[in-house]
Amino acid sequence: MSLELSDKRILVTGGAGLVGSHLAARLAADNDVLVADDLSKGTRERVPDGVEFAQADMTDADDVAEVVTEDLDIVFHFAAYTDTNYGNPRQLFEENTEMTYNVLERMQEVGVSEIAFTSSSTVYGEAPRPTPEDYAPLEPISIYGSSKLADEGLLSTFAHSYDFTVYMYRFANIVGPKQRGNVIPDFIEKLLDDPETLEILGDGRQEKSYLHVEDCVDAMCHVVENAERDLNVYNLGTRTTTSVTTIADIISDVMGLDPDYEYTGGDRGWTGDVPKMRLSIEKLSALGWEPAVSSDDSVRRAAEELYAELKTEYETAASE
């Protein structure tokens, strides 16, 4: 059943990260919001003013019990290792699934049954494009994708067997301000260090859909307020894609540079990287939501936001 997101008590796990902090800010206008984050990747500064914050680790049952309480109306569960190329894959898999199971188990204990979950396009593996939600078989090629698929299995079970209502989002690449560790900030940092040359992993032809975080948050709220099933699975992305070389071109333009590109070669950036990804958003469109801007425009907006941030950081560090 759909849920109107106003006058609600809402928990956002992982709410000090990119999407979680933007969602918390969006929800705080009309709801009572608690952000829980262990700050291993997110930062306290990202948590919006006026939003309650608890430093909590979702792998710790006592921490989960502190923040998942019977007065909640819905949990947005974002807490996860999100790096598709993480150095300790077993830790990523075990702790991502442990976090999700801990949250679900505690919700069941206290009688909270509405949960929204951030999955990923990586559950599809190297699937035909555009990929619809009912594409099968799901064959992820990264441990990160495997962990998200395992989480999806848990959530499906709780929806079908334990009277939960689940809103599940399979994200394209989400970009926006204060983001670190993905292609846009990485390219900006490299060019701030060396404006003449830019190393690009792979052959630059990797091509994916990029969605700005504000569009992402808008789509997430739309799904919760309009989807009607016990288990609601939606792709979140744009109808267009952007290649890695085009990202480099956009960033170079934003920074006013003309660097030489040096490609490392191969059709992907790392083991487990899906070279080409575009999600079908027809199901989301039928629910009444469309992205405001294209993939290229999402990249440009994020590049402008991140360049302003990173340039200031570099200038401050240089003056110290």
Side-chain angles (χ1 to χ4, degrees), residues 46-247:
R46 279 186 179 174
V47 179
D49 292 339
V51 170
E52 187 181 350
F53 174 74
Q55 186 164 345
D57 179 354
M58 295 300 100
T59 66
D60 185 311
D62 291 336
D63 283 7
V64 174
E66 286 287 328
V67 297
V68 178
T69 49
E70 62 185 8
D71 60 335
L72 295 176
D73 294 292
I74 186 171
V75 175
F76 283 83
H77 177 44
F78 295 178
Y81 292 91
T82 57
D83 186 348
T84 56
N85 195 28
Y86 189 69
N88 187 337
R90 175 177 282 273
Q91 180 187 22
L92 180 150
F93 184 87
E94 291 181 349
E95 294 194 13
N96 275 0
T97 51
E98 183 181 13
M99 284 187 262
T100 301
Y101 209 133
N102 283 349
V103 169
L104 288 168
E105 197 170 50
R106 175 61 179 171
M107 288 175 65
Q108 189 177 25
E109 285 176 6
V110 297
V112 178
S113 60
E114 304 261 349
I115 183 167
F117 174 72
T118 55
S119 187
S120 166
S121 63
T122 57
V123 300
Y124 292 117
E126 298 188 61
R129 302 173 304 280
T131 315
E133 290 86 349
D134 59 359
Y135 173 78
L138 299 180
E139 297 180 351
I141 64 169
S142 66
I143 297 297
Y144 173 72
S146 298
S147 76
K148 287 297 185 181
L149 187 54
D151 286 335
E152 287 196 9
L154 278 172
L155 286 151
S156 173
T157 300
F158 274 76
H160 292 304
S161 297
Y162 300 110
D163 297 323
F164 272 55
T165 301
V166 175
Y167 308 94
M168 194 139 54
Y169 312 107
R170 291 176 179 162
F171 280 0
N173 286 27
I174 311 302
V175 294
K178 300 181 181 177
Q179 189 171 34
R180 300 295 184 267
N182 83 339
V183 63
I184 299 175
D186 284 354
F187 279 3
I188 293 170
E189 288 170 344
K190 285 179 178 178
L191 289 170
L192 284 168
D193 287 332
D194 178 6
E196 304 296 325
T197 307
L198 178 63
E199 181 187 66
I200 297 176
L201 300 180
D203 58 13
R205 297 176 185 171
Q206 305 96 302
E207 195 171 308
K208 301 177 184 181
S209 173
Y210 292 82
L211 180 69
H212 193 274
V213 65
E214 290 193 5
D215 272 357
C216 175
V217 163
D218 192 55
M220 292 175 68
C221 293
H222 186 88
V223 167
V224 170
E225 293 193 319
N226 291 277
E228 296 285 349
R229 301 184 62 181
D230 294 335
L231 179 63
N232 304 282
V233 183
Y234 283 85
N235 289 335
L236 270 56
T238 56
R239 296 184 183 277
T240 52
T241 58
T242 307
S243 73
V244 174
T245 295
T246 300
I247 293 173

